[in-house]
Amino acid sequence: MASTQGSKNDRRTRIEEMRRAEKSRERRVRIAAITVAAVAVAGLVGFGTYLVSDSSSDSTASDSTASDSTADGATTAGPIKGERDWDIKKLGRTHVTTKVNYPMTPPVGGNHNQVWMDCNGNVYTKPLPDMNAVHSLEHGSVWVTYTDKAPAADVKKLGAKVSRTPYSLMSPYPGQSGAIMLSAWGKQVTVDGANDPRVNQFFTKYVQGPQTPEPGAACTGGLGGQ
């Protein structure tokens, strides 16, 4: 009887040892699984951070490029070389019928006629009335002017650019200081020719640009000129 009882005790002891061993094995497996999972999560987080950082860098570079240049390669940031500007707060904007003597040639702002020159890519072959052209500048247009010293090829190329650009107009302007000049409200620059990069810069920056007193105002329905 005692031998039987001893056998039972031995069996229970072995069973308990097996259970403890199994629990210990299960605990090691859980720890190993948790460790592997933690390492995997850390790796994913690190990779995700790299992707976000890399994407952010690319986006920043792209945004910077977009803000500083255009499809024409024209830089919009910073001043345009040789550009002259006038305080737009001091330029008059009253509609008048009497002649205005403008302090700059061609004029870039000031009191003007109540009727604007059509400036929906209009290329005029004769000089325009200053007071009507100034009204077009008030609406956000760029005015290209030239003298008989401008090469015919440049005049033709600039005319083509103006004709495909809403809120722009072009006309001869005898007596101006430069052979080819570009004007916007309060802004003006003399360029070397149609291929001068400042042409695209000026158009990009000032066609309906931040200098415009009346953005979105009509550039058709005015004085058609010649």
Side-chain angles (χ1 to χ4, degrees), residues 128-145:
L128 305 178
D130 282 349
M131 293 172 62
N132 302 95
V134 167
H135 197 157
S136 300
L137 301 186
E138 186 183 39
H139 289 189
S141 67
V142 164
W143 183 16
V144 178
T145 54

Side-chain angles (χ1 to χ4, degrees), residues 113-193:
N113 193 281
Q114 66 178 351
V115 181
W116 56 89
M117 291 302 306
D118 285 345
C119 47
N120 191 37
N122 295 75
V123 178
Y124 300 98
T125 58
K126 295 182 180 180
L128 305 178
D130 282 349
M131 293 172 62
N132 302 95
V134 167
H135 197 157
S136 300
L137 301 186
E138 186 183 39
H139 289 189
S141 67
V142 164
W143 183 16
V144 178
T145 54
Y146 61 94
T147 70
D148 56 4
K149 294 181 180 180
D154 284 343
V155 173
K156 183 178 180 179
K157 186 169 184 177
L158 288 168
K161 180 176 181 62
V162 168
S163 66
R164 63 176 181 267
T165 307
Y167 287 96
S168 72
L169 68 165
M170 178 174 173
S171 71
Y173 202 106
Q176 68 180 23
S177 60
I180 300 173
M181 299 177 70
L182 280 63
S183 302
W185 188 267
K187 309 290 182 180
Q188 191 171 82
V189 67
T190 299
V191 297
D192 297 329

Side-chain angles (χ1 to χ4, degrees), residues 32-52:
I34 291 172
T35 301
V36 170
V39 170
V41 170
L44 288 174
V45 170
F47 183 66
T49 301
Y50 165 78
L51 287 179
V52 171

